[in-house]
Amino acid sequence: MYADSSLTLVLNGAEARLQILCGNGSELLFSQEWFTPRHGMQVLVPALMEGLARMGLSLRQVGRIAIVRGPGSFTGLRLVLSTALGMARPLNMTMGGIGYMDALAADPLALAGERPVWTVTHARRGIVHLQGFCNTAGAPGTLCQPDSATLEDAAARIAASGPCPVLLGTGIRKNLDFFAETLPQALVLPERFDHPAPETLLALAQTVDYSTDPVDPLYIRPCDAEENLDSIAAAKGLNPEEARATLAKLTTA
């Protein structure tokens, strides 16, 4: 059975909601999602194979894989990127990367008119990932590249972008009181906008570039293990300076 190049598999593990979907061109064939903060590894491949089987398809029929590349959870991004690579290499599939902030902003931008749209996702306590978008001459555009910021810095950057901004994402949801107080003129979208719709992910998958090269993750901030390396090393009886040197060697080899 040969691959059908029109069949696209899409994987998203950027946040706690794991999303799997498959489409034939722009037609959504199936989608599944789970709230799996700690169990994505046990769910991803079995759920994917079950979904394909229910549609009478096999992995060999998939022509390409689109992966949400971040920013987001280190664990979730590594899970979907490594799974995609493991499937693509032996079957000669091509892969493409979707920006998570672009996926979140796509539907709100269509409704926002001239108001700036800010996607703000939870990075860790007191820190968010954010990116600003706008409609220029009838076409969507970006106000800035994805970045990480403290809540105070994020609020200041959003306020400077224009009146009545549109806000969405888990970073807003988890810090709703703060943003409501600091940005009282902002429109906060309902919780259903905190994660991209399957149809939106499939539509974006039609626009990205594909190749046989691995998709690079989009990491914005250092992982917790790097920032807490000294305390982790000390707890294991290791010299923190030697641990840092070993990490540097491993990550630059």
Side-chain angles (χ1 to χ4, degrees), residues 45-63:
V45 174
L48 168 60
M49 303 311 290
E50 179 186 359
L52 289 170
R54 286 178 179 271
M55 296 301 299
L57 301 171
S58 75
L59 196 57
R60 291 184 178 277
Q61 290 175 271
V62 175

Side-chain angles (χ1 to χ4, degrees), residues 5 11 19 39 43 68 91 100 109 134-135 148 151 182 202:
S5 60
L11 307 178
Q19 295 178 287
H39 304 291
V43 169
V68 173
L91 298 175
Y100 187 49
L109 268 173
C134 64
N135 288 305
S148 63
L151 299 183
T182 56
L202 182 59

Side-chain angles (χ1 to χ4, degrees), residues 118-143:
W118 285 86
T119 57
V120 184
T121 61
H122 177 69
R124 66 181 184 193
R125 182 176 297 179
I127 303 292
V128 293
H129 295 130
L130 78 162
Q131 186 173 9
F133 298 83
C134 64
N135 288 305
T136 304
T142 57
L143 294 171

